[in-house]
Amino acid sequence: MNNPFKLFFLFFSLLFLQVFILNNILLFDAINPYLYIVFVFLYPLKENKIPILFFSFLLGLGVDFFSDTGGIHAFSLTVIAYIRLFFVKVYFNKLEIDFPFFSLKTESFGKIFNYVVTLTVIHHFIFFSLANFSFHNFFNVLSNTFFSSIFTLFLYFIGSAIFTRNE
């Protein structure tokens, strides 16, 4: 995923998919998949965080613009883009030296699962906390986080199984 054209295509295809297809899916008036966060998972690891933060902010801002959500997608996506290196170090035991050679394809499913689930739940919790912005709705925040995370993770793992070739 180090090719700039692939990253450009990933950015705009995830934006298009989220805005025009996934934002129109609403199960039980509360469950919505947010698959655009895959951009953070697939962006190449680098010591310099500025590019991922910038592109994550732009992607979130694009989703916010079309969803009329006032910046909460941008904020929540930028937060997980900022903390992802910490979780790469925790779950995959990688150092800065390993970053140019890191790929999710080479890691075990258990490590990938923990990494993706953690970042997804953090993103969704921040997103729904800002969307509700009230302690009176805390149960709604937790239930929306839980069920939307399950739906997002289901789509992510199905999509990665379909689009990843076994080599």
Side-chain angles (χ1 to χ4, degrees):
M1 193 49 80
N2 285 327
N3 187 346
F5 295 112
K6 287 182 181 178
L7 286 172
F8 182 78
F9 178 74
L10 179 68
F11 182 93
F12 283 105
S13 61
L14 286 173
L15 180 64
F16 177 82
L17 179 69
Q18 185 65 47
V19 168
F20 294 110
I21 297 171
L22 297 177
N23 278 356
N24 295 317
I25 298 174
L26 190 63
L27 299 176
F28 308 113
D29 292 328
I31 304 170
N32 192 0
Y34 297 106
L35 202 58
Y36 70 99
I37 66 173
V38 170
F39 183 77
V40 172
F41 306 150
L42 299 179
Y43 195 87
L45 296 180
K46 297 177 183 170
E47 281 184 63
N48 186 3
K49 290 183 180 182
I50 302 299
I52 179 99
L53 293 175
F54 177 72
F55 291 123
S56 296
F57 179 76
L58 280 182
L59 180 59
L61 201 61
V63 174
D64 282 326
F65 178 75
F66 288 105
S67 305
D68 194 31
T69 48
I72 56 178
H73 285 287
F75 180 76
S76 55
L77 190 63
T78 306
V79 167
I80 66 165
Y82 183 76
I83 63 173
R84 81 179 180 131
L85 288 181
F86 171 76
F87 289 107
V88 166
K89 291 175 184 176
V90 168
Y91 290 126
F92 302 111
N93 297 323
K94 300 296 180 189
L95 302 171
E96 284 85 11
I97 296 171
D98 301 323
F99 288 171
F101 310 107
F102 178 77
S103 173
L104 285 178
K105 293 178 186 177
T106 60
E107 299 296 330
S108 69
F109 178 76
K111 291 179 181 180
I112 295 170
F113 183 80
N114 290 336
Y115 171 70
V116 170
V117 166
T118 303
L119 289 180
T120 301
V121 169
I122 290 170
H123 171 271
H124 285 36
F125 183 74
I126 292 169
F127 175 79
F128 287 115
S129 294
L130 292 174
N132 289 310
F133 208 66
S134 171
F135 286 118
H136 298 290
N137 295 329
F138 190 68
F139 179 74
N140 289 339
V141 169
L142 291 180
S143 65
N144 288 347
T145 298
F146 179 74
F147 291 117
S148 291
S149 293
I150 289 174
F151 195 15
T152 301
L153 291 167
F154 176 76
L155 290 178
Y156 170 73
F157 286 115
I158 292 295
S160 67
I162 291 171
F163 292 113
T164 303
R165 292 182 286 210
N166 292 334
E167 295 176 1

